[in-house]
Amino acid sequence: MEPQRPDGEPTWSDLSTREKASAALGITGLGLGILAVLAMAMLVGVLAVVLLSNGLIEADSTSSLVWAVLLCLPYFLLAGLFVIPVRLALRLMAMSGRMKRGADAAISVATTFLGALFVESFTPGLHVEHPWLPALLAALLVALANLVINYIERRKGRRSSELSL
């Protein structure tokens, strides 16, 4: 007999085949749900950039925008690969916490800008007149979203610390 975990929870090997299938199905559903939410957020972001660019971006059809959303992940990963040496160099430098957070934010904006340039340049059916303007807009929208998220987290942290007093 296998020893039980200290917290009393069963391990994967303790589960029956039906419980394992149920758990696998639940995790798969959760993963697909998270992917769907991320895809919708990316689609909203792409549509926002297209609408705010006001004539700089022309798509042959709506499938071009879907392609842009689908290609965001690989292009942003590629942009992240180009930025890794700079990120590593900044982490090796002796900087204060505030400067490191600022440098990380600047690297994040640069990665978003480069990824958006890749999406605009290599998505089939997408024609961009001045590609750096929509890419800059996308980077600024991501930076604004990060600022809003940080503000909400700080506010939630203050509220929970006030409740615990």
Side-chain angles (χ1 to χ4, degrees):
M1 182 171 206
E2 292 183 31
Q4 289 229 342
R5 291 178 37 188
D7 58 2
E9 289 289 320
T11 61
W12 183 257
S13 60
D14 295 337
L15 298 177
S16 69
T17 305
R18 185 176 181 168
E19 291 171 329
K20 288 179 182 178
S22 176
L25 186 64
I27 293 297
T28 303
L30 179 66
L32 289 175
I34 290 171
L35 281 175
V37 168
L38 288 175
M40 288 302 293
M42 292 294 257
L43 182 61
V44 167
V46 167
L47 289 175
V49 169
V50 168
L51 290 176
L52 292 174
S53 293
N54 208 17
L56 292 177
I57 299 175
E58 293 179 10
D60 290 343
S61 66
T62 54
S63 66
S64 299
L65 297 178
V66 173
W67 269 110
V69 170
L70 291 175
L71 292 174
C72 277
L73 180 64
Y75 288 148
F76 278 85
L77 289 174
L78 181 64
L81 286 176
F82 285 122
V83 180
I84 282 177
V86 176
R87 189 178 297 267
L88 290 175
L90 285 174
R91 288 194 178 163
L92 292 174
M93 295 174 66
M95 293 189 291
S96 68
R98 186 173 181 172
M99 283 185 66
K100 279 192 178 194
R101 285 190 304 271
D104 273 344
I107 293 294
S108 175
V109 169
T111 304
T112 304
F113 179 78
L114 187 58
L117 279 177
F118 286 156
V119 170
E120 294 170 359
S121 300
F122 301 118
T123 300
L126 204 62
H127 309 285
V128 184
E129 194 169 324
H130 299 287
W132 65 274
L133 286 172
L136 182 62
L137 178 63
L140 292 176
L141 285 175
V142 168
L144 179 65
N146 286 335
L147 288 174
V148 168
I149 289 170
N150 287 338
Y151 174 75
I152 291 170
E153 286 177 351
R154 278 195 310 265
R155 191 171 170 194
K156 190 185 298 183
R158 275 189 253 138
R159 186 175 291 156
S160 66
S161 67
E162 289 173 359
L163 292 175
S164 65
L165 293 175

